Amino acid sequence: MRVLGVDPGLTRCGLGVVDSAPGRRAVLVEVGVARSAPDQAPELRLAAIAAEVEAWLDRHRPDAVAVEQVFAQHNLRTVMGTAQVSGVVMLAAARRGVPVAVHTPSEVKAAVTGNGRAAKAQVQAMVARILALPEAPTPADAADALALAVCHLWRPLPGRLVGSRGAEAVAPSGGGRTPAQVAWARAESAARRAAR
Amino acid sequence: MRVLGVDPGLTRCGLGVVDSAPGRRAVLVEVGVARSAPDQAPELRLAAIAAEVEAWLDRHRPDAVAVEQVFAQHNLRTVMGTAQVSGVVMLAAARRGVPVAVHTPSEVKAAVTGNGRAAKAQVQAMVARILALPEAPTPADAADALALAVCHLWRPLPGRLVGSRGAEAVAPSGGGRTPAQVAWARAESAARRAAR
């Protein structure tokens, strides 16, 4: 299974492709950032990001796209541009028949660190460890995109755990849960308990 | 000059095309609503809306697209979907070389009623009067799209008034301001004073 993780953004949009097979280590395929020039008109910036995302979709043909959930409550100045980018990314995936899953930042943190409220540096260090990289990719948007892809690959399978957002958008790839998925589920419930 | 007004929304996206020439009354060309089914995956809903908007762009070949500014502060549940729709609309316009302008709800209200805080019913009644329609089109999203198109046609020309959002995205179509544009500018400053 191959997942394209997308950390949406208008100035920098993180993109990361990760492969995983049952019983195998997750493998980095490509990581990078799509950029647009802040002095351009917003619609041209969206078009620049969309063209790059489409090139990645066509080059890597992922089985799923995992996009970070955009929340309205933080950073009002940039949140609308971020949501617009997530919209054009979802459209590009839909037009290629690739299912889209949306994961919240705390789901991603829980997936890669076991703590839904982990610090950003910890998430990035774990992404590097999980993918056996010498260090976390930069900029942070690129590492965040990989964390999203890992989160999606390690998510609990549909019907096995209540409350896994986005999981229903992707057909289950196999039978039971892998050890990593069991660990994910445990970490997520722990994070949810801690958040209460 | 022909403008496609878009009131973005995932369940109902208002679309309205208005023509205007110097010294002539604004004329309704087409008005309607693009819809998507709430039980579909979000990315498929975006694709359905995008396909309809693209069909309108190709059918009417507007000189500009006027989109309502999405604000993060109201209706957190739907605002992200609305922003995503505005993103795919802006992308569709950019890919056709059509400039996009964004207008705030109060700019639209000021343009069609002279009051930036006018009630929705008043805006709709004025849209019908301006376009010489027997009554305001329904649903409200359709009338709102027409109001956006009228607002854009009546906006002050670039360089003539400070603070006219989105106006710089469209090349000036002629020399001085029309009486309607003068009225618009006056209404807008009045509304701004009132809002202080």
Side-chain angles (χ1 to χ4, degrees), chain A residues 42-44 46-47 50-51 54 70-73 76 79-80 83-84 86-88 90-91 94-95 98-100 169, chain B residues 42-44 46-47 50-51 54 70-73 76 79-80 83-84 86-88 90-91 94-95 98-100 169:
Chain A
E43 68 271 22
L44 301 181
L46 285 171
E54 288 167 359
V70 184
F71 287 106
Q73 50 264 43
L76 290 185
V79 76
M80 287 301 133
Q84 289 173 335
S86 76
V88 305
M90 289 165 74
L91 176 66
R95 290 196 161 158
V98 183
V100 174
Chain B
E43 68 271 23
L44 300 181
L46 285 171
E54 287 167 0
V70 183
F71 287 106
Q73 50 264 40
L76 289 186
V79 76
M80 288 299 133
Q84 289 173 335
S86 76
V88 304
M90 289 166 74
L91 175 66
R95 290 196 162 159
V98 183
V100 174

mmCIF file of all heavy atoms in Angstrom, chain A residues 42-44 46-47 50-51 54 70-73 76 79-80 83-84 86-88 90-91 94-95 98-100 169, chain B residues 42-44 46-47 50-51 54 70-73 76 79-80 83-84 86-88 90-91 94-95 98-100 169:
data_model
loop_
_atom_site.group_PDB
_atom_site.id
_atom_site.type_symbol
_atom_site.label_atom_id
_atom_site.label_comp_id
_atom_site.label_asym_id
_atom_site.label_seq_id
_atom_site.Cartn_x
_atom_site.Cartn_y
_atom_site.Cartn_z
ATOM 1 N N PRO A 42 -4.056 34.850 -5.390
ATOM 2 C CA PRO A 42 -4.378 33.587 -4.701
ATOM 3 C C PRO A 42 -4.757 32.453 -5.657
ATOM 4 O O PRO A 42 -4.355 31.312 -5.455
ATOM 5 C CB PRO A 42 -5.562 33.982 -3.811
ATOM 6 C CG PRO A 42 -5.386 35.441 -3.563
ATOM 7 C CD PRO A 42 -4.760 36.004 -4.807
ATOM 8 N N GLU A 43 -5.519 32.768 -6.716
ATOM 9 C CA GLU A 43 -5.943 31.685 -7.612
ATOM 10 C C GLU A 43 -4.757 31.092 -8.374
ATOM 11 O O GLU A 43 -4.736 29.906 -8.678
ATOM 12 C CB GLU A 43 -7.050 32.153 -8.570
ATOM 13 C CG GLU A 43 -6.647 33.166 -9.617
ATOM 14 C CD GLU A 43 -6.784 34.613 -9.152
ATOM 15 O OE1 GLU A 43 -6.793 34.850 -7.923
ATOM 16 O OE2 GLU A 43 -6.888 35.495 -10.031
ATOM 17 N N LEU A 44 -3.734 31.932 -8.663
ATOM 18 C CA LEU A 44 -2.541 31.419 -9.340
ATOM 19 C C LEU A 44 -1.697 30.593 -8.377
ATOM 20 O O LEU A 44 -1.064 29.606 -8.778
ATOM 21 C CB LEU A 44 -1.719 32.571 -9.925
ATOM 22 C CG LEU A 44 -2.466 33.438 -10.947
ATOM 23 C CD1 LEU A 44 -1.563 34.533 -11.500
ATOM 24 C CD2 LEU A 44 -3.030 32.577 -12.089
ATOM 25 N N LEU A 46 -2.958 28.793 -5.913
ATOM 26 C CA LEU A 46 -3.659 27.507 -5.829
ATOM 27 C C LEU A 46 -3.338 26.646 -7.044
ATOM 28 O O LEU A 46 -3.138 25.431 -6.937
ATOM 29 C CB LEU A 46 -5.175 27.728 -5.739
ATOM 30 C CG LEU A 46 -5.700 28.215 -4.396
ATOM 31 C CD1 LEU A 46 -7.164 28.600 -4.513
ATOM 32 C CD2 LEU A 46 -5.524 27.124 -3.337
ATOM 33 N N ALA A 47 -3.289 27.280 -8.225
ATOM 34 C CA ALA A 47 -3.011 26.529 -9.455
ATOM 35 C C ALA A 47 -1.599 25.951 -9.426
ATOM 36 O O ALA A 47 -1.373 24.817 -9.883
ATOM 37 C CB ALA A 47 -3.212 27.425 -10.676
ATOM 38 N N ALA A 50 -1.664 23.010 -7.028
ATOM 39 C CA ALA A 50 -2.451 21.916 -7.619
ATOM 40 C C ALA A 50 -1.635 21.189 -8.689
ATOM 41 O O ALA A 50 -1.643 19.956 -8.755
ATOM 42 C CB ALA A 50 -3.747 22.456 -8.210
ATOM 43 N N ALA A 51 -0.917 21.942 -9.518
ATOM 44 C CA ALA A 51 -0.138 21.319 -10.597
ATOM 45 C C ALA A 51 0.927 20.391 -10.009
ATOM 46 O O ALA A 51 1.159 19.286 -10.520
ATOM 47 C CB ALA A 51 0.506 22.399 -11.470
ATOM 48 N N GLU A 54 -0.739 17.261 -8.515
ATOM 49 C CA GLU A 54 -1.165 16.370 -9.603
ATOM 50 C C GLU A 54 0.028 15.619 -10.186
ATOM 51 O O GLU A 54 -0.082 14.430 -10.517
ATOM 52 C CB GLU A 54 -1.891 17.182 -10.681
ATOM 53 C CG GLU A 54 -3.273 17.621 -10.204
ATOM 54 C CD GLU A 54 -3.913 18.671 -11.088
ATOM 55 O OE1 GLU A 54 -3.285 19.100 -12.087
ATOM 56 O OE2 GLU A 54 -5.048 19.078 -10.771
ATOM 57 N N VAL A 70 -7.948 20.566 8.545
ATOM 58 C CA VAL A 70 -7.736 21.990 8.830
ATOM 59 C C VAL A 70 -8.787 22.437 9.832
ATOM 60 O O VAL A 70 -9.976 22.178 9.660
ATOM 61 C CB VAL A 70 -7.864 22.830 7.542
ATOM 62 C CG1 VAL A 70 -7.554 24.300 7.834
ATOM 63 C CG2 VAL A 70 -6.954 22.296 6.449
ATOM 64 N N PHE A 71 -8.342 23.075 10.893
ATOM 65 C CA PHE A 71 -9.281 23.578 11.896
ATOM 66 C C PHE A 71 -9.411 25.085 11.783
ATOM 67 O O PHE A 71 -8.435 25.785 11.518
ATOM 68 C CB PHE A 71 -8.814 23.213 13.311
ATOM 69 C CG PHE A 71 -8.996 21.757 13.598
ATOM 70 C CD1 PHE A 71 -7.912 20.918 13.634
ATOM 71 C CD2 PHE A 71 -10.264 21.237 13.797
ATOM 72 C CE1 PHE A 71 -8.074 19.562 13.891
ATOM 73 C CE2 PHE A 71 -10.438 19.893 14.046
ATOM 74 C CZ PHE A 71 -9.337 19.050 14.092
ATOM 75 N N ALA A 72 -10.611 25.557 12.009
ATOM 76 C CA ALA A 72 -10.872 26.992 11.847
ATOM 77 C C ALA A 72 -10.302 27.800 12.998
ATOM 78 O O ALA A 72 -10.080 28.987 12.865
ATOM 79 C CB ALA A 72 -12.367 27.233 11.728
ATOM 80 N N GLN A 73 -10.041 27.155 14.129
ATOM 81 C CA GLN A 73 -9.755 27.981 15.309
ATOM 82 C C GLN A 73 -8.369 28.622 15.363
ATOM 83 O O GLN A 73 -8.196 29.608 16.036
ATOM 84 C CB GLN A 73 -10.059 27.233 16.614
ATOM 85 C CG GLN A 73 -9.469 25.857 16.734
ATOM 86 C CD GLN A 73 -10.477 24.798 16.326
ATOM 87 O OE1 GLN A 73 -11.178 24.962 15.341
ATOM 88 N NE2 GLN A 73 -10.544 23.720 17.056
ATOM 89 N N LEU A 76 -6.211 32.565 11.957
ATOM 90 C CA LEU A 76 -7.278 32.986 11.043
ATOM 91 C C LEU A 76 -6.747 33.558 9.736
ATOM 92 O O LEU A 76 -7.383 33.429 8.699
ATOM 93 C CB LEU A 76 -8.163 34.037 11.732
ATOM 94 C CG LEU A 76 -9.030 33.515 12.872
ATOM 95 C CD1 LEU A 76 -9.935 34.607 13.388
ATOM 96 C CD2 LEU A 76 -9.857 32.312 12.417
ATOM 97 N N VAL A 79 -5.690 30.300 7.635
ATOM 98 C CA VAL A 79 -6.467 29.060 7.637
ATOM 99 C C VAL A 79 -7.324 28.907 6.384
ATOM 100 O O VAL A 79 -7.514 27.798 5.880
ATOM 101 C CB VAL A 79 -7.312 28.957 8.933
ATOM 102 C CG1 VAL A 79 -8.516 29.856 8.893
ATOM 103 C CG2 VAL A 79 -7.724 27.523 9.195
ATOM 104 N N MET A 80 -7.808 30.011 5.823
ATOM 105 C CA MET A 80 -8.650 29.897 4.637
ATOM 106 C C MET A 80 -7.841 29.427 3.428
ATOM 107 O O MET A 80 -8.297 28.590 2.667
ATOM 108 C CB MET A 80 -9.335 31.238 4.339
ATOM 109 C CG MET A 80 -10.437 31.540 5.334
ATOM 110 S SD MET A 80 -11.704 30.224 5.302
ATOM 111 C CE MET A 80 -11.919 29.923 7.026
ATOM 112 N N ALA A 83 -7.261 25.752 3.865
ATOM 113 C CA ALA A 83 -8.453 24.972 3.526
ATOM 114 C C ALA A 83 -8.641 24.922 2.019
ATOM 115 O O ALA A 83 -9.020 23.880 1.456
ATOM 116 C CB ALA A 83 -9.685 25.573 4.203
ATOM 117 N N GLN A 84 -8.370 26.025 1.344
ATOM 118 C CA GLN A 84 -8.504 26.025 -0.116
ATOM 119 C C GLN A 84 -7.519 25.052 -0.755
ATOM 120 O O GLN A 84 -7.869 24.334 -1.693
ATOM 121 C CB GLN A 84 -8.290 27.441 -0.653
ATOM 122 C CG GLN A 84 -9.452 28.374 -0.314
ATOM 123 C CD GLN A 84 -9.182 29.814 -0.684
ATOM 124 O OE1 GLN A 84 -8.033 30.244 -0.771
ATOM 125 N NE2 GLN A 84 -10.242 30.571 -0.908
ATOM 126 N N SER A 86 -6.336 22.352 0.682
ATOM 127 C CA SER A 86 -6.827 20.992 0.936
ATOM 128 C C SER A 86 -7.953 20.655 -0.045
ATOM 129 O O SER A 86 -8.065 19.520 -0.511
ATOM 130 C CB SER A 86 -7.265 20.813 2.395
ATOM 131 O OG SER A 86 -8.516 21.422 2.625
ATOM 132 N N GLY A 87 -8.765 21.652 -0.411
ATOM 133 C CA GLY A 87 -9.830 21.427 -1.393
ATOM 134 C C GLY A 87 -9.290 21.038 -2.757
ATOM 135 O O GLY A 87 -9.775 20.074 -3.370
ATOM 136 N N VAL A 88 -8.273 21.741 -3.248
ATOM 137 C CA VAL A 88 -7.761 21.404 -4.583
ATOM 138 C C VAL A 88 -7.010 20.069 -4.558
ATOM 139 O O VAL A 88 -7.014 19.337 -5.550
ATOM 140 C CB VAL A 88 -6.899 22.538 -5.201
ATOM 141 C CG1 VAL A 88 -7.678 23.858 -5.244
ATOM 142 C CG2 VAL A 88 -5.586 22.720 -4.490
ATOM 143 N N MET A 90 -7.879 17.497 -2.605
ATOM 144 C CA MET A 90 -8.934 16.473 -2.583
ATOM 145 C C MET A 90 -9.571 16.321 -3.966
ATOM 146 O O MET A 90 -9.884 15.209 -4.398
ATOM 147 C CB MET A 90 -9.977 16.835 -1.526
ATOM 148 C CG MET A 90 -9.437 16.655 -0.099
ATOM 149 S SD MET A 90 -10.438 17.470 1.180
ATOM 150 C CE MET A 90 -11.857 16.375 1.241
ATOM 151 N N LEU A 91 -9.737 17.437 -4.659
ATOM 152 C CA LEU A 91 -10.288 17.383 -6.018
ATOM 153 C C LEU A 91 -9.363 16.600 -6.950
ATOM 154 O O LEU A 91 -9.818 15.742 -7.721
ATOM 155 C CB LEU A 91 -10.479 18.809 -6.547
ATOM 156 C CG LEU A 91 -10.953 18.926 -7.997
ATOM 157 C CD1 LEU A 91 -12.368 18.370 -8.141
ATOM 158 C CD2 LEU A 91 -10.895 20.379 -8.477
ATOM 159 N N ALA A 94 -9.740 12.946 -6.171
ATOM 160 C CA ALA A 94 -11.040 12.429 -6.610
ATOM 161 C C ALA A 94 -11.049 12.199 -8.117
ATOM 162 O O ALA A 94 -11.584 11.206 -8.609
ATOM 163 C CB ALA A 94 -12.157 13.397 -6.216
ATOM 164 N N ARG A 95 -10.444 13.112 -8.862
ATOM 165 C CA ARG A 95 -10.455 12.995 -10.326
ATOM 166 C C ARG A 95 -9.589 11.853 -10.826
ATOM 167 O O ARG A 95 -9.678 11.451 -11.970
ATOM 168 C CB ARG A 95 -10.023 14.321 -10.939
ATOM 169 C CG ARG A 95 -11.115 15.360 -10.726
ATOM 170 C CD ARG A 95 -10.969 16.548 -11.601
ATOM 171 N NE ARG A 95 -12.253 17.253 -11.661
ATOM 172 C CZ ARG A 95 -12.393 18.522 -11.992
ATOM 173 N NH1 ARG A 95 -11.332 19.224 -12.330
ATOM 174 N NH2 ARG A 95 -13.580 19.069 -12.029
ATOM 175 N N VAL A 98 -8.612 8.268 -6.511
ATOM 176 C CA VAL A 98 -7.847 7.912 -5.312
ATOM 177 C C VAL A 98 -8.631 8.355 -4.072
ATOM 178 O O VAL A 98 -8.972 9.529 -3.951
ATOM 179 C CB VAL A 98 -6.456 8.611 -5.315
ATOM 180 C CG1 VAL A 98 -5.651 8.181 -4.096
ATOM 181 C CG2 VAL A 98 -5.707 8.307 -6.602
ATOM 182 N N PRO A 99 -8.926 7.432 -3.161
ATOM 183 C CA PRO A 99 -9.672 7.823 -1.957
ATOM 184 C C PRO A 99 -8.863 8.760 -1.068
ATOM 185 O O PRO A 99 -7.643 8.673 -1.013
ATOM 186 C CB PRO A 99 -9.946 6.494 -1.242
ATOM 187 C CG PRO A 99 -8.995 5.519 -1.825
ATOM 188 C CD PRO A 99 -8.612 5.997 -3.190
ATOM 189 N N VAL A 100 -9.593 9.642 -0.399
ATOM 190 C CA VAL A 100 -8.962 10.639 0.478
ATOM 191 C C VAL A 100 -9.359 10.359 1.922
ATOM 192 O O VAL A 100 -10.529 10.086 2.202
ATOM 193 C CB VAL A 100 -9.420 12.061 0.094
ATOM 194 C CG1 VAL A 100 -8.885 13.090 1.093
ATOM 195 C CG2 VAL A 100 -8.972 12.405 -1.326
ATOM 196 N N ALA A 169 -12.887 5.720 4.447
ATOM 197 C CA ALA A 169 -12.707 6.149 3.061
ATOM 198 C C ALA A 169 -11.789 5.209 2.296
ATOM 199 O O ALA A 169 -11.662 5.292 1.093
ATOM 200 C CB ALA A 169 -12.121 7.564 3.022
ATOM 201 N N PRO B 42 -16.333 13.694 0.962
ATOM 202 C CA PRO B 42 -16.072 15.119 0.691
ATOM 203 C C PRO B 42 -15.366 15.374 -0.639
ATOM 204 O O PRO B 42 -15.691 16.329 -1.339
ATOM 205 C CB PRO B 42 -15.192 15.528 1.876
ATOM 206 C CG PRO B 42 -15.557 14.584 2.966
ATOM 207 C CD PRO B 42 -15.897 13.285 2.300
ATOM 208 N N GLU B 43 -14.397 14.515 -0.994
ATOM 209 C CA GLU B 43 -13.654 14.776 -2.232
ATOM 210 C C GLU B 43 -14.543 14.592 -3.460
ATOM 211 O O GLU B 43 -14.377 15.283 -4.467
ATOM 212 C CB GLU B 43 -12.390 13.906 -2.322
ATOM 213 C CG GLU B 43 -12.611 12.411 -2.488
ATOM 214 C CD GLU B 43 -12.734 11.657 -1.168
ATOM 215 O OE1 GLU B 43 -13.078 12.288 -0.136
ATOM 216 O OE2 GLU B 43 -12.482 10.437 -1.172
ATOM 217 N N LEU B 44 -15.536 13.688 -3.374
ATOM 218 C CA LEU B 44 -16.459 13.505 -4.496
ATOM 219 C C LEU B 44 -17.434 14.682 -4.581
ATOM 220 O O LEU B 44 -17.854 15.088 -5.661
ATOM 221 C CB LEU B 44 -17.213 12.179 -4.357
ATOM 222 C CG LEU B 44 -16.319 10.932 -4.331
ATOM 223 C CD1 LEU B 44 -17.165 9.660 -4.212
ATOM 224 C CD2 LEU B 44 -15.438 10.859 -5.580
ATOM 225 N N LEU B 46 -16.674 17.769 -3.696
ATOM 226 C CA LEU B 46 -15.898 18.853 -4.308
ATOM 227 C C LEU B 46 -15.812 18.663 -5.820
ATOM 228 O O LEU B 46 -15.916 19.622 -6.585
ATOM 229 C CB LEU B 46 -14.482 18.885 -3.715
ATOM 230 C CG LEU B 46 -14.355 19.447 -2.309
ATOM 231 C CD1 LEU B 46 -12.946 19.215 -1.775
ATOM 232 C CD2 LEU B 46 -14.675 20.941 -2.302
ATOM 233 N N ALA B 47 -15.638 17.405 -6.248
ATOM 234 C CA ALA B 47 -15.514 17.132 -7.685
ATOM 235 C C ALA B 47 -16.828 17.445 -8.400
ATOM 236 O O ALA B 47 -16.823 17.964 -9.519
ATOM 237 C CB ALA B 47 -15.090 15.682 -7.904
ATOM 238 N N ALA B 50 -17.077 21.231 -8.618
ATOM 239 C CA ALA B 50 -16.065 21.737 -9.558
ATOM 240 C C ALA B 50 -16.508 21.496 -11.003
ATOM 241 O O ALA B 50 -16.355 22.376 -11.858
ATOM 242 C CB ALA B 50 -14.718 21.061 -9.288
ATOM 243 N N ALA B 51 -17.077 20.326 -11.272
ATOM 244 C CA ALA B 51 -17.498 20.006 -12.646
ATOM 245 C C ALA B 51 -18.581 20.979 -13.113
ATOM 246 O O ALA B 51 -18.567 21.450 -14.255
ATOM 247 C CB ALA B 51 -17.995 18.562 -12.715
ATOM 248 N N GLU B 54 -17.046 24.459 -13.695
ATOM 249 C CA GLU B 54 -16.269 24.451 -14.938
ATOM 250 C C GLU B 54 -17.192 24.516 -16.156
ATOM 251 O O GLU B 54 -16.894 25.196 -17.140
ATOM 252 C CB GLU B 54 -15.379 23.201 -14.985
ATOM 253 C CG GLU B 54 -14.210 23.326 -14.021
ATOM 254 C CD GLU B 54 -13.475 22.016 -13.782
ATOM 255 O OE1 GLU B 54 -13.861 20.976 -14.369
ATOM 256 O OE2 GLU B 54 -12.504 22.036 -13.004
ATOM 257 N N VAL B 70 -14.699 33.889 2.425
ATOM 258 C CA VAL B 70 -15.112 32.997 3.510
ATOM 259 C C VAL B 70 -14.398 33.420 4.783
ATOM 260 O O VAL B 70 -13.189 33.614 4.783
ATOM 261 C CB VAL B 70 -14.752 31.529 3.176
ATOM 262 C CG1 VAL B 70 -15.253 30.608 4.271
ATOM 263 C CG2 VAL B 70 -15.305 31.131 1.825
ATOM 264 N N PHE B 71 -15.147 33.596 5.842
ATOM 265 C CA PHE B 71 -14.554 33.967 7.119
ATOM 266 C C PHE B 71 -14.545 32.783 8.066
ATOM 267 O O PHE B 71 -15.496 32.004 8.104
ATOM 268 C CB PHE B 71 -15.319 35.128 7.757
ATOM 269 C CG PHE B 71 -15.062 36.426 7.053
ATOM 270 C CD1 PHE B 71 -16.030 36.988 6.235
ATOM 271 C CD2 PHE B 71 -13.842 37.065 7.184
ATOM 272 C CE1 PHE B 71 -15.788 38.179 5.564
ATOM 273 C CE2 PHE B 71 -13.596 38.257 6.518
ATOM 274 C CZ PHE B 71 -14.572 38.816 5.714
ATOM 275 N N ALA B 72 -13.483 32.703 8.844
ATOM 276 C CA ALA B 72 -13.338 31.557 9.742
ATOM 277 C C ALA B 72 -14.261 31.655 10.944
ATOM 278 O O ALA B 72 -14.572 30.660 11.570
ATOM 279 C CB ALA B 72 -11.894 31.432 10.198
ATOM 280 N N GLN B 73 -14.729 32.858 11.258
ATOM 281 C CA GLN B 73 -15.375 32.986 12.568
ATOM 282 C C GLN B 73 -16.785 32.409 12.671
ATOM 283 O O GLN B 73 -17.222 32.067 13.747
ATOM 284 C CB GLN B 73 -15.329 34.423 13.102
ATOM 285 C CG GLN B 73 -15.788 35.494 12.146
ATOM 286 C CD GLN B 73 -14.605 36.122 11.410
ATOM 287 O OE1 GLN B 73 -13.684 35.413 11.024
ATOM 288 N NE2 GLN B 73 -14.633 37.414 11.210
ATOM 289 N N LEU B 76 -18.404 27.020 12.298
ATOM 290 C CA LEU B 76 -17.192 26.208 12.194
ATOM 291 C C LEU B 76 -17.419 24.861 11.510
ATOM 292 O O LEU B 76 -16.532 24.348 10.854
ATOM 293 C CB LEU B 76 -16.620 25.960 13.594
ATOM 294 C CG LEU B 76 -15.999 27.167 14.286
ATOM 295 C CD1 LEU B 76 -15.343 26.750 15.582
ATOM 296 C CD2 LEU B 76 -14.982 27.836 13.379
ATOM 297 N N VAL B 79 -17.595 25.800 7.596
ATOM 298 C CA VAL B 79 -16.734 26.804 6.988
ATOM 299 C C VAL B 79 -15.579 26.178 6.215
ATOM 300 O O VAL B 79 -15.154 26.700 5.187
ATOM 301 C CB VAL B 79 -16.238 27.811 8.051
ATOM 302 C CG1 VAL B 79 -15.154 27.220 8.913
ATOM 303 C CG2 VAL B 79 -15.762 29.085 7.397
ATOM 304 N N MET B 80 -15.086 25.034 6.670
ATOM 305 C CA MET B 80 -13.954 24.415 5.971
ATOM 306 C C MET B 80 -14.391 23.899 4.596
ATOM 307 O O MET B 80 -13.674 24.068 3.618
ATOM 308 C CB MET B 80 -13.350 23.286 6.812
ATOM 309 C CG MET B 80 -12.583 23.828 7.997
ATOM 310 S SD MET B 80 -11.203 24.884 7.421
ATOM 311 C CE MET B 80 -11.408 26.288 8.484
ATOM 312 N N ALA B 83 -14.708 26.880 2.347
ATOM 313 C CA ALA B 83 -13.397 27.356 1.898
ATOM 314 C C ALA B 83 -12.826 26.420 0.830
ATOM 315 O O ALA B 83 -12.227 26.869 -0.154
ATOM 316 C CB ALA B 83 -12.432 27.461 3.085
ATOM 317 N N GLN B 84 -13.021 25.118 1.002
ATOM 318 C CA GLN B 84 -12.528 24.168 0.001
ATOM 319 C C GLN B 84 -13.222 24.390 -1.342
ATOM 320 O O GLN B 84 -12.584 24.330 -2.392
ATOM 321 C CB GLN B 84 -12.738 22.732 0.491
ATOM 322 C CG GLN B 84 -11.792 22.379 1.640
ATOM 323 C CD GLN B 84 -12.087 21.028 2.258
ATOM 324 O OE1 GLN B 84 -13.208 20.526 2.191
ATOM 325 N NE2 GLN B 84 -11.088 20.425 2.866
ATOM 326 N N SER B 86 -14.460 27.242 -2.390
ATOM 327 C CA SER B 86 -13.915 28.469 -2.982
ATOM 328 C C SER B 86 -12.554 28.180 -3.610
ATOM 329 O O SER B 86 -12.223 28.734 -4.658
ATOM 330 C CB SER B 86 -13.850 29.598 -1.953
ATOM 331 O OG SER B 86 -12.767 29.420 -1.067
ATOM 332 N N GLY B 87 -11.787 27.290 -3.016
ATOM 333 C CA GLY B 87 -10.486 26.908 -3.577
ATOM 334 C C GLY B 87 -10.621 26.248 -4.942
ATOM 335 O O GLY B 87 -9.907 26.603 -5.883
ATOM 336 N N VAL B 88 -11.549 25.300 -5.089
ATOM 337 C CA VAL B 88 -11.672 24.622 -6.391
ATOM 338 C C VAL B 88 -12.272 25.567 -7.438
ATOM 339 O O VAL B 88 -11.946 25.461 -8.623
ATOM 340 C CB VAL B 88 -12.456 23.279 -6.305
ATOM 341 C CG1 VAL B 88 -11.816 22.346 -5.273
ATOM 342 C CG2 VAL B 88 -13.910 23.469 -6.020
ATOM 343 N N MET B 90 -11.680 28.863 -7.537
ATOM 344 C CA MET B 90 -10.566 29.741 -7.923
ATOM 345 C C MET B 90 -9.588 28.998 -8.839
ATOM 346 O O MET B 90 -9.070 29.577 -9.804
ATOM 347 C CB MET B 90 -9.865 30.257 -6.665
ATOM 348 C CG MET B 90 -10.722 31.278 -5.904
ATOM 349 S SD MET B 90 -10.147 31.619 -4.214
ATOM 350 C CE MET B 90 -8.701 32.620 -4.513
ATOM 351 N N LEU B 91 -9.364 27.725 -8.554
ATOM 352 C CA LEU B 91 -8.480 26.924 -9.408
ATOM 353 C C LEU B 91 -9.056 26.809 -10.820
ATOM 354 O O LEU B 91 -8.344 26.981 -11.819
ATOM 355 C CB LEU B 91 -8.300 25.529 -8.798
ATOM 356 C CG LEU B 91 -7.495 24.534 -9.640
ATOM 357 C CD1 LEU B 91 -6.040 24.986 -9.770
ATOM 358 C CD2 LEU B 91 -7.564 23.128 -9.036
ATOM 359 N N ALA B 94 -8.539 30.076 -12.588
ATOM 360 C CA ALA B 94 -7.125 30.303 -12.907
ATOM 361 C C ALA B 94 -6.716 29.484 -14.123
ATOM 362 O O ALA B 94 -5.980 29.957 -14.986
ATOM 363 C CB ALA B 94 -6.248 29.944 -11.706
ATOM 364 N N ARG B 95 -7.212 28.255 -14.202
ATOM 365 C CA ARG B 95 -6.807 27.385 -15.312
ATOM 366 C C ARG B 95 -7.405 27.822 -16.642
ATOM 367 O O ARG B 95 -6.979 27.368 -17.696
ATOM 368 C CB ARG B 95 -7.183 25.939 -14.996
ATOM 369 C CG ARG B 95 -6.289 25.407 -13.884
ATOM 370 C CD ARG B 95 -6.315 23.922 -13.761
ATOM 371 N NE ARG B 95 -5.145 23.493 -13.008
ATOM 372 C CZ ARG B 95 -5.047 22.338 -12.370
ATOM 373 N NH1 ARG B 95 -6.062 21.490 -12.409
ATOM 374 N NH2 ARG B 95 -3.949 22.016 -11.720
ATOM 375 N N VAL B 98 -9.075 33.235 -16.194
ATOM 376 C CA VAL B 98 -10.085 34.219 -15.763
ATOM 377 C C VAL B 98 -9.679 34.773 -14.402
ATOM 378 O O VAL B 98 -9.493 34.005 -13.451
ATOM 379 C CB VAL B 98 -11.482 33.564 -15.660
ATOM 380 C CG1 VAL B 98 -12.525 34.617 -15.283
ATOM 381 C CG2 VAL B 98 -11.851 32.863 -16.958
ATOM 382 N N PRO B 99 -9.532 36.103 -14.271
ATOM 383 C CA PRO B 99 -9.155 36.668 -12.975
ATOM 384 C C PRO B 99 -10.243 36.485 -11.934
ATOM 385 O O PRO B 99 -11.436 36.464 -12.258
ATOM 386 C CB PRO B 99 -8.933 38.157 -13.272
ATOM 387 C CG PRO B 99 -9.601 38.416 -14.564
ATOM 388 C CD PRO B 99 -9.678 37.115 -15.314
ATOM 389 N N VAL B 100 -9.808 36.328 -10.697
ATOM 390 C CA VAL B 100 -10.727 36.103 -9.580
ATOM 391 C C VAL B 100 -10.676 37.299 -8.640
ATOM 392 O O VAL B 100 -9.598 37.802 -8.337
ATOM 393 C CB VAL B 100 -10.332 34.829 -8.798
ATOM 394 C CG1 VAL B 100 -11.200 34.668 -7.546
ATOM 395 C CG2 VAL B 100 -10.419 33.601 -9.694
ATOM 396 N N ALA B 169 -7.327 42.689 -8.994
ATOM 397 C CA ALA B 169 -7.200 41.441 -9.763
ATOM 398 C C ALA B 169 -7.807 41.594 -11.160
ATOM 399 O O ALA B 169 -7.644 40.748 -12.002
ATOM 400 C CB ALA B 169 -7.887 40.290 -9.027
#
